[in-house]
């Protein structure tokens, strides 16, 4: 089969590799019908995630059909159409018993510690908790967004940030994760949502998805937050970029008693200015997604409560993986939010990044 293989920092190849097989009785083999690229994949290629060994197939998000299962798998069987979660949870360890699947001895392994989903087939460990049957009404290119970005934004951003009615919420970074954070934060009726990014196309997408105000990251966004909150700062600030400057900006924009929810993947140290924060009663959270919310979000998608399709700006055939990476990695130029791969061939550009979501 063909797969995108990490060759070391800065190098990947779409190449022939052996088909995966069952290695454990809890495994499932899934034929990949739709996949996508995550910002984390770009971090891996840059060398920010050194645990990923050269020779690993990248990717941790997919929708497909179960082809084979191990003898212990009970929740799915061959022929089922499923969502492949980015987290593979054993269901038995201390962390799984606490719904903290991301900290499981499995956890984030696909495209990280074992071969991932950017391939024709993928072996999914702990299949009973790691794949979810999909209703026929849910489009594959929409459903694949529930493998990672929506659960990550909701759990690590909205829930960790404890968004409450009336809050002022700032989302720094209006890429796919930040936009999903805007969508899911709105479920809690905050008073206002402010989106900050460097790209005007992404700020336009943020406004279309429900941001009440936007600011260019290079044009004094802290002043806008200060003006809108009468100098208090935001109740919740979510970091969805993964660079020191954006994290430090978040800590300057939060109000006393507020919450900073870090979502971004960081490859470099960021300064924590305790000389300023120690007196402010600020809560800072970090986290890897657990995906415990995937069934809830899937039910919402099935009833048209999540405008997922508006985040998919580019579509490619699976064999166009390298072209898809090129478009996604140059998002500031291409306007890419999320790229979807697989299914029948599509034109690369499917819709404008600023096009409003379909009515729910």
């Amino acid at each position: 089969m063909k797969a995108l293989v990490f060759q070391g920092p800065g190098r990947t190849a779409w190449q022939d590799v052996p088909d995966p097989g069952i290695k454990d009785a809890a495994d499932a083999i899934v034929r990949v019908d739709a996949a996508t690229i995550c910002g984390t994949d770009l971090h891996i290629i840059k060398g920010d995630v050194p645990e990923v060994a050269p020779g690993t197939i990248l990717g941790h998000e997919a929708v497909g059909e179960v082809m084979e299962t191990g003898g212990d798998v009970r929740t799915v069987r061959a022929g089922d159409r499923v969502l492949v979660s980015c987290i593979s949870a054993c269901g038995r360890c201390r962390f799984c018993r606490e719904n903290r699947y991301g900290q499981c001895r499995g956890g984030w392994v696909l495209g990280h510690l074992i071969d991932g989903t950017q391939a024709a087939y993928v072996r999914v460990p702990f299949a009973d908790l790691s794949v979810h049957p999909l209703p026929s009404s849910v489009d594959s290119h929409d459903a694949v967004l529930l493998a990672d970005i929506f659960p990550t934004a909701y759990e690590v951003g909205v829930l960790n940030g404890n968004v409450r009615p009336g809050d002022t919420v700032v989302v720094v970074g209006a890429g796919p994760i930040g936009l999903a954070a805007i969508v899911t934060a709105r479920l809690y009726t905050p008073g206002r949502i402010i989106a900050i990014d460097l790209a005007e196309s992404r700020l336009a997408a943020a406004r279309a998805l429900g941001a009440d105000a936007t600011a260019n990251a290079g044009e004094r966004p802290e002043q806008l937050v200060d003006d809108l909150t009468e100098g208090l700062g935001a109740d919740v600030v979510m970091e969805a970029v993964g660079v020191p400057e954006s994290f430090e900006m978040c800590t300057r924009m939060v109000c006393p008693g507020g919450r900073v929810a870090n979502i971004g993947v960081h490859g470099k140290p960021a300064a924590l200015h305790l000389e300023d924060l120690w007196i402010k009663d600020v809560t800072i959270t970090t986290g890897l997604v657990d995906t415990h919310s995937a069934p809830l979000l899937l039910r919402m998608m099935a009833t048209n409560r999540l405008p997922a399709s508006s985040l998919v700006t580019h579509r490619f055939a699976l064999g166009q993986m390298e072209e898809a990476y090129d478009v996604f990695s140059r998002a500031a130029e291409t306007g890419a939010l999320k790229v979807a791969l697989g299914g029948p061939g599509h034109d690369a550009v499917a819709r404008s990044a600023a096009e409003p979501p379909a009515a729910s």
Side-chain angles (χ1 to χ4, degrees), residues 261-328:
N262 182 85
I263 314 173
V265 177
H266 289 263
K268 297 180 180 178
L272 181 62
H273 290 283
L274 286 176
E275 74 276 15
D276 299 322
L277 295 171
W278 73 271
I279 200 170
K280 292 180 67 175
D281 296 342
V282 169
T283 299
I284 298 175
T285 59
T286 66
L288 176 66
V289 65
D290 296 310
T291 66
H292 63 75
S293 65
L296 168 66
L297 296 171
L298 180 56
R299 290 196 298 273
M300 295 180 66
M301 180 175 284
T303 54
N304 297 316
R305 301 301 181 188
L306 286 179
S309 59
S310 61
L311 274 72
V312 177
T313 54
H314 297 70
R315 300 172 190 260
F316 299 87
L318 197 61
Q320 296 175 290
M321 186 71 69
E322 290 171 310
E323 182 183 350
Y325 260 93
D326 177 64
V327 168
F328 186 65

Side-chain angles (χ1 to χ4, degrees), residues 174-186:
I177 291 287
L179 294 173
I182 291 168
V183 170
T184 51
R186 291 185 67 201

Side-chain angles (χ1 to χ4, degrees), residues 37-72:
I37 302 169
C38 181
T40 303
D41 297 321
L42 299 184
H43 280 281
I44 291 170
I45 295 170
K46 285 172 58 181
D48 289 345
V49 189
E51 300 86 1
V52 182
T56 302
I57 297 171
L58 294 180
H60 49 266
E61 305 158 273
V63 167
E65 181 179 334
V66 176
M67 307 305 292
E68 182 182 1
T69 60
D72 289 348

Side-chain angles (χ1 to χ4, degrees), residues 155-157 159-162 247 259-263 283-287:
E155 296 171 17
V156 186
L159 295 185
N160 280 3
N162 192 22
F247 174 78
R259 289 87 67 195
V260 175
N262 182 85
I263 314 173
T283 299
I284 298 175
T285 59
T286 66

